[in-house]
Amino acid sequence: RKKIKMASSEYIEECFNIFDTKKQGFLDKETLPVVIRALGKNPTEKEMKEILDEIGNDKIDVNKVKTILRKKIKGPSEMDREMRNAFQALDKDGKGTIQETELRQILGNLGDALSAQEVNMLMRDAKVDRNGAVDWSEFVTNLVSSYPVGDKL
């Protein structure tokens, strides 16, 4: 089993300082999701809303960001197994593929539903065969490995 590494304290501080554009020592609430994702975590919209609700009107300083990152927010590689299990359950004939149209529908309607633009971005690198099928294992691998920072911190 792959060990997930946390971003180092120095890396978190460096990232925080990049996004603290006003150099006030704290971030705006709108910036926090971007920072968390830049540090390799992938919270759902629901998780992000809960985090922001919990913060309330508190200032978001670097220590608050470190505390938030210690919470169980999944990174892409932690989601790999969950995604594979979900696709396996959908793969009724065991061919290892899913129709592109079905995949687009799932991405746009289930869980944290994605916008059409977000679905198109994810599908951009998907290889669709002449029968309109996508190899879901390859799709998951591309999703996890193409994450900008990922868990390689």
Side-chain angles (χ1 to χ4, degrees), residues 46-60:
K46 182 180 176 212
E47 287 171 324
M48 210 53 247
K49 184 182 178 334
E50 288 169 3
I51 290 167
L52 292 171
D53 288 348
E54 193 177 304
I55 290 169
N57 292 323
D58 293 350
K59 294 215 184 294
I60 305 168

Side-chain angles (χ1 to χ4, degrees), residues 1-4 77 144 151-152:
R1 192 178 157 176
K2 195 163 115 177
K3 180 81 175 129
I4 306 300
S77 65
V144 173
D151 294 315
K152 297 170 183 74

Side-chain angles (χ1 to χ4, degrees), residues 37-104:
R37 289 181 177 107
L39 288 165
K41 292 299 180 179
N42 194 19
T44 63
E45 292 298 322
K46 182 180 176 212
E47 287 171 324
M48 210 53 247
K49 184 182 178 334
E50 288 169 3
I51 290 167
L52 292 171
D53 288 348
E54 193 177 304
I55 290 169
N57 292 323
D58 293 350
K59 294 215 184 294
I60 305 168
D61 62 12
V62 71
N63 290 323
K64 178 75 76 179
V65 173
K66 289 176 184 178
T67 301
I68 291 166
L69 286 170
R70 275 195 226 80
K71 293 178 188 256
K72 190 66 183 146
I73 302 171
K74 293 177 180 163
S77 65
E78 295 164 289
M79 298 173 98
D80 182 276
R81 186 178 323 122
E82 290 177 23
M83 287 189 282
R84 289 183 192 284
N85 289 341
F87 277 112
Q88 216 159 12
L90 292 169
D91 188 8
K92 292 170 184 48
D93 58 11
K95 290 183 179 174
T97 61
I98 185 170
Q99 287 298 301
E100 178 191 14
T101 52
E102 185 180 2
L103 180 55
R104 284 179 175 278

